[in-house]
Amino acid sequence: MYGAVPGSDRLTNPDWLLERLGKLPVPSRYRVAFSGGLDSTVLLHLMASVRERLTVPLDAVHVDHGLHPHSGEWARQCEAVCRRLGVPLEQVKVDARPRLGEGPEAAAREARYRAFVEGLEPDAFLLTAHHEDDQAETLLLQMLRGAGPRGLAGMPEYRPLGKGWLVRPLLALSRSELRGWAEAVGLVWIEDPGNFDTGFDRNRIRHDILPGLTQCRSGAAHAIARSAMHCAEASELLDELATADLEGSEAAPGILAAEPLRTLSPARLRNVLRVWIRLQGLPVPDTANLNRISEEVMSARGDSEPLVHWPGAEVRGYRGHLYAMAPLEPVPKGWQMEWSGAGKLVLPAGLGELSLRPVQGRGLKAELFARGSVSVHFRKGGEHCRPAGRGHSHLLKKLFQEAGIPPWERGRIPILGVRGESAAVAGLCYGEAFVAAVGEAGLELLWNRGRH
């Protein structure tokens, strides 16, 4: 155990760390995210000091972003520290180059966490060394972005990550406490010069703004982090309220009935929409787009087709319902393919695949495929179909309307054609002239819809 350090009492005895971790479910292993910097070096040494009292394995992971000329040297230094402590280390190299329109900080974080997720076994804990000052910086950043209670809640101590969990056991400690203890016990760590580049917002807050606030009021970082905790509680209450308001309004996954929500106040409606969109796994819209959804899509009547979109998501309206989805990939214009019926036919634009299942006395006549006369295409406009049992031919548009299929989906439904006629519309109907008779070999059309 490390000796006592003045001003760092919480770090002197690691029992507090075991107590903190003991409040959480028992993981399959503890994995320390080890960059080699001050904070993660402290966390790794603390975990190594209690390793004999852990009931599950302990290891570490180092992610090499390849962005700094010394990154290879840093990786070797991390390996040496772990070897000295007897902690197994996994080293992962990632491509952290930013994509078009993406900032370098965001690109590095995304690449890093993707590597964390890929290497995290079920029920394992990934431990990161975020501390109280990081929490204060996060809240100030979110304030500058105009975030609401959820954004101002900062970083939770414990949240799902891939198949495991992300845990931040040092959130109650300050940067100065970590540094004081590390210096007193003689730890060596890596100083990334990028952490001092005030061209990045977080670094500017860390080196310029937060110290200024601390001069204005001592304990500023602690007070700001406490505000984040209050915002987290407020966010939880808003989520609970939204869950209650959504009851009875969700018609299907990603589909929301508008009528039950019309009596809600504007603020309460925006809260419901925000939570509902987030629950679909989609990015939450900004205030302007949220207002457009509540005003334009919620109030749409009849067969109007309002649409509000923002990066990564969109909400459409049709017949009193709201549809939240990722942006639709366009279907290639004029796409058509001959199909023998053998195996699976993969459709374009992420629309899944078609397959056939042998049946008797129903489905399409098997002989159609034997003759090689079947093609697959999407709606161009003006197509007709005479559904089995209806007796008359109808425009596909009319059949889609009767079935309540939203307009944006109609051009994304595969149609099987035989000699210019609609033999089948996937998920909707078979053409009467092409249906297998009683006792005749038939083929049932199956459509695995993919992500459309």
Side-chain angles (χ1 to χ4, degrees):
M1 186 180 296
Y2 296 96
V5 179
S8 300
D9 294 341
R10 286 184 287 185
L11 291 167
T12 301
N13 188 335
D15 283 353
W16 68 270
L17 179 59
L18 290 171
E19 182 181 349
R20 208 168 189 86
L21 294 174
K23 294 178 180 178
L24 303 174
V26 177
S28 59
R29 80 169 53 241
Y30 292 106
R31 167 164 284 203
V32 176
F34 184 42
S35 69
L38 166 65
D39 308 333
S40 64
T41 297
V42 169
L43 177 59
L44 182 66
H45 280 77
L46 288 172
M47 290 299 297
S49 73
V50 299
R51 175 176 38 200
E52 300 304 321
R53 298 164 67 184
L54 301 176
T55 59
V56 298
L58 169 68
D59 65 15
V61 57
H62 174 78
V63 177
D64 182 354
H65 300 86
L67 298 176
H68 194 277
H70 298 312
S71 64
E73 180 183 332
W74 295 344
R76 288 190 291 275
Q77 184 170 333
C78 289
E79 186 176 14
V81 171
C82 287
R83 186 167 56 249
R84 188 163 59 250
L85 292 173
V87 176
L89 174 69
E90 179 183 359
Q91 304 224 35
V92 183
K93 289 188 176 182
V94 298
D95 181 0
R97 291 172 296 181
R99 295 168 295 194
L100 185 64
E102 186 178 34
E105 290 175 292
R109 184 185 186 280
E110 182 179 334
R112 182 168 62 253
Y113 274 84
R114 186 165 54 246
F116 288 157
V117 168
E118 289 173 357
L120 202 60
E121 68 183 50
D123 299 320
F125 280 6
L126 178 76
L127 306 181
T128 65
H130 294 106
H131 47 69
E132 187 176 77
D133 294 69
D134 290 323
Q135 185 74 293
E137 292 164 11
T138 299
L139 186 139
L140 290 172
L141 275 171
Q142 293 291 356
M143 287 180 68
L144 292 173
R145 295 167 182 159
R150 184 175 176 83
L152 298 178
M155 300 177 289
E157 187 173 8
Y158 176 71
R159 72 167 177 85
L161 180 70
K163 297 177 181 177
W165 298 86
L166 173 63
V167 181
R168 300 179 174 101
L170 305 185
L171 273 184
L173 298 170
S174 68
R175 179 181 287 115
S176 62
E177 285 181 283
L178 300 183
R179 180 176 287 275
W181 184 78
E183 290 175 345
V185 300
L187 299 187
V188 177
W189 61 88
I190 296 165
E191 291 285 11
D192 182 352
N195 290 335
F196 298 92
D197 182 356
T198 54
F200 296 114
D201 289 344
R202 182 176 285 275
N203 287 343
R204 187 174 305 157
I205 289 173
R206 177 177 301 165
H207 298 293
D208 298 337
I209 297 175
L210 200 51
L213 291 173
T214 302
Q215 287 180 356
C216 177
R217 182 179 290 272
S218 63
H222 180 69
I224 293 170
R226 191 168 65 247
S227 290
M229 181 184 68
H230 296 322
C231 288
E233 289 185 354
S235 179
E236 287 180 17
L237 289 173
L238 288 171
D239 284 357
E240 290 177 11
L241 178 63
T243 300
D245 287 340
L246 280 170
E247 200 164 323
S249 296
E250 293 184 277
I255 304 175
L256 192 64
E259 190 59 36
L261 305 177
R262 296 192 196 280
T263 58
L264 298 180
S265 68
R268 196 161 166 175
L269 175 58
R270 286 192 296 271
N271 183 56
V272 166
L273 294 173
R274 190 182 292 113
V275 171
W276 172 63
I277 291 167
R278 191 179 74 237
L279 290 175
Q280 311 313 312
L282 299 170
V284 177
D286 59 19
T287 301
N289 282 313
L290 203 58
N291 285 334
R292 287 190 59 205
I293 296 170
S294 62
E295 294 167 7
E296 298 173 21
V297 184
M298 281 289 299
S299 61
R301 303 291 180 181
D303 286 348
S304 62
E305 303 170 35
L307 165 65
V308 177
H309 61 86
W310 61 97
E314 59 189 34
V315 169
R316 297 171 180 264
Y318 181 63
R319 293 187 178 180
H321 288 80
L322 283 69
Y323 296 74
M325 63 194 79
L328 296 175
E329 183 180 344
V331 175
K333 188 175 181 180
W335 184 90
Q336 182 169 315
M337 183 170 288
E338 301 300 316
W339 189 28
S340 68
K344 296 177 180 179
L345 177 66
V346 178
L347 300 169
L351 290 171
E353 58 192 23
L354 297 178
S355 60
L356 298 169
R357 180 167 61 195
V359 291
Q360 282 292 118
R362 57 190 177 89
L364 291 168
K365 296 179 179 180
E367 65 178 31
L368 295 173
F369 294 90
R371 293 202 301 262
S373 57
V374 180
S375 64
V376 181
H377 62 91
F378 295 95
R379 184 177 174 226
K380 304 180 182 68
E383 293 94 341
H384 288 72
C385 182
R386 183 156 58 103
R390 294 281 291 263
H392 297 285
S393 179
H394 300 269
L395 278 169
L396 283 188
K397 178 180 178 180
K398 180 68 174 176
L399 295 175
F400 288 147
Q401 288 175 335
E402 287 180 0
I405 296 173
W408 59 88
E409 292 289 356
R410 297 171 190 173
R412 307 173 66 80
I413 297 175
I415 300 169
L416 271 60
V418 175
R419 297 184 298 276
E421 295 187 59
S422 299
V425 182
L428 184 63
C429 65
Y430 296 110
E432 189 167 46
F434 306 97
V435 174
V438 176
E440 185 180 8
L443 293 168
E444 183 180 4
L445 179 63
L446 305 175
W447 181 19
N448 180 356
R449 295 184 176 231
R451 63 177 190 275
H452 93 128

